[in-house]
Amino acid sequence: MTADASTIERLRGDYRRAALLRALALTIASASLVAFMVIDLATGPSGMPVSTVWSTLLAGPNGSDTMAVTILWQLRMPQTLMGALVGASLGICGLQMQTILSNPLASPFTLGFSAAAGFGAALAIMFGGLLPLPDFLVVPVSAFLMTLVACALVYSIASLRGATPEILVLAGIAVLFFFQSMQSLLQFLASPEVLQQIVFWLFGSLLKATWLSVAVLSIVLALVLPFVLRDSWKLTVLRLGDANAASLGLSVESLRTKTFLLVAVMTAAAVSFVGTIGFIGLIAPHAARAAVGEDHRFALPMAALAGATMLVAASVFGKLISPGAVIPVGIITAVAGVPVLFAVIARRSRGGV
C-alpha cells in the first residue's frame, strides 16, 4: 500500500513538473510573439524607432502625431495583427490535419484548400466585375467560397470509399491538382495586367491586410475555436490510433468529419484575404509537439503561437532584406520551410513521428 501511494505521489510530481515546463514553453512562445510583433511594427520602408512605436501605441489612433498614427494604426498594425491571426489559424489547422490524417506531412495544402482559394481569387480577379459585391470583397469572398467547394469535393469523393485518412489524402491530392490546373488555365488566358494581379495574390502578402480583414478573421476564430478546444482531449486520444481511440469510446469518424469541416472554414478565412502562404501549417505543429508533447490541450495553443510567431518573423525578415520593396511573406515561408521539410522527412525515416 505504501509503495502504491509512493508511486502515485511520484507520478503526480512528474505530471506537475511536465505541466510547469509546458506552461514555461507557452510563456516563452507568447513573449517571442509579442517581441516580433513590436519589431514588425517598428520596421518598414519609412522606418520608426521602437520608442515612437510605443508612444504612438499608448496615444491610440487619435494621437497628435498624425504621420506616426497613420503609419502605425492604418498601415502596419492591420498587417501585423493579420500576420499573427493567419499564422495562428494555419498552425492550428496544420496540427489538426496531422492528427486526423495520422500524417506528419499533412497541412491545409495537402487537401487542396489553398489551391482552391487561389483558383477562386484568380477567377474573381478576371471576372469579378460580374459579381454584385463591392470591389474589395470580390476576391476574398470568391477565395473563401472556393475553399469550401474544395472541402465539399474532398469529403464527397472520400465518402464513396469511407472517409479514412488514406482516402482523404488521395482525394485531397486529386482536388489539389485539379485546382492547380485550373489556376494555370486562368493564368494562360489572362491579360498581362490581370496575370500580374493573380501572381501577386498567389505569392501571399500581408500588404493586403485591412482592419476589415482583421475583424472578419477574428470573428471566424472566435466562433470556431470553442469547438476546436472542446475536442482537444479527443484529438489527443486519436493520436493513439483509430482502433485504440474507438476502444475508449471515441466516435472516430464523427470527430474526423467535424475537425475536417473546422479546418476548412479556418483555412478559407485565413487565406482569403492574404493569399497563399505555405509551410506554416506544416512546420508549426512539429514545433509545438517538440515543445509541449502530444497533449492537444497544450499543443493547440502552442501551434497557434508558433505559427503566429513564424509568420510575423517572416514579415520582419522580408522587410529587413528588402526595405524599399517588401518581399511577400509567402516567398519567405516557402524558402525557410524547405529545409525544415527535409528535416521532418529525415526524422520520419529514422522512425520519428
Side-chain angles (χ1 to χ4, degrees):
M1 189 68 178
T2 305
D4 291 342
S6 175
T7 301
I8 292 173
E9 189 60 32
R10 178 174 58 79
L11 292 175
R12 286 176 177 171
D14 292 341
Y15 180 80
R16 284 194 292 267
R17 282 191 294 272
L20 286 174
L21 289 175
R22 288 167 174 166
L24 178 61
L26 288 170
T27 302
I28 293 173
S30 300
S32 299
L33 174 59
V34 171
F36 276 113
M37 290 179 72
V38 172
I39 296 172
D40 191 47
L41 290 173
T43 54
S46 61
M48 184 178 291
V50 175
S51 58
T52 304
V53 171
W54 184 250
S55 61
T56 307
L57 285 174
L58 293 178
N62 299 317
S64 57
D65 190 341
T66 307
M67 181 177 293
V69 166
T70 301
I71 293 173
L72 187 65
W73 285 96
Q74 299 302 322
L75 299 176
R76 294 185 185 176
M77 184 70 77
Q79 295 173 18
T80 300
L81 292 177
M82 197 64 179
L85 291 172
V86 170
S89 300
L90 295 178
I92 293 172
C93 290
L95 180 62
Q96 291 180 294
M97 291 293 290
Q98 291 177 13
T99 299
I100 65 173
L101 298 179
S102 301
N103 188 334
L105 300 179
S107 75
F109 292 80
T110 304
L111 300 187
F113 293 164
S114 295
F119 171 69
L123 203 62
I125 292 171
M126 288 188 67
F127 307 108
L130 303 177
L131 298 176
L133 289 172
D135 291 342
F136 66 91
L137 285 179
V138 170
V139 173
V141 169
S142 180
F144 184 90
L145 293 178
M146 201 57 65
T147 306
L148 298 185
V149 169
C151 167
L153 279 175
V154 171
Y155 197 76
S156 298
I157 296 171
S159 297
L160 297 176
R161 297 293 302 274
T164 62
E166 295 80 8
I167 298 298
L168 281 170
V169 170
L170 291 175
I173 291 174
V175 171
L176 169 67
F177 281 110
F178 170 74
F179 280 111
Q180 282 184 341
S181 64
M182 290 296 99
Q183 277 185 34
S184 300
L185 176 62
L186 290 181
Q187 291 178 41
F188 177 77
L189 297 175
S191 64
E193 295 78 10
V194 172
L195 177 61
Q196 185 178 16
Q197 296 180 52
I198 294 174
V199 171
F200 180 74
W201 195 94
L202 294 175
F203 279 158
S205 173
L206 297 176
L207 296 177
K208 299 184 285 287
T210 64
W211 282 111
L212 175 63
S213 61
V214 171
V216 170
L217 183 52
S218 299
I219 292 172
V220 171
L221 286 177
L223 293 175
V224 171
L225 283 180
F227 297 98
V228 174
L229 296 175
R230 189 177 65 180
D231 289 336
S232 58
W233 185 246
K234 295 179 181 178
L235 290 169
T236 303
V237 173
L238 190 59
R239 290 292 292 175
L240 299 174
D242 287 10
N244 290 327
S247 69
L248 294 172
L250 184 65
S251 178
V252 175
E253 186 172 348
S254 174
L255 176 62
R256 185 169 284 127
T257 301
K258 180 166 61 174
T259 303
F260 181 80
L261 295 175
L262 293 175
V263 166
V265 172
M266 280 195 292
T267 303
V271 304
S272 61
F273 287 101
V274 299
T276 305
I277 297 177
F279 284 100
I280 296 294
L282 174 62
I283 302 169
H286 290 284
R289 290 197 184 97
V292 298
E294 295 289 350
D295 191 339
H296 278 57
R297 294 174 299 173
F298 299 95
L300 283 169
M302 178 56 77
L305 289 170
T309 303
M310 290 174 186
L311 193 51
V312 176
S315 175
V316 172
F317 190 69
K319 293 177 181 178
L320 291 177
I321 62 177
S322 180
V326 178
I327 297 177
V329 291
I331 297 176
I332 302 295
T333 58
V335 172
V338 170
V340 177
L341 177 60
F342 286 146
V344 171
I345 295 173
R347 182 170 178 248
R348 181 70 173 176
S349 66
R350 293 196 301 269
V353 178

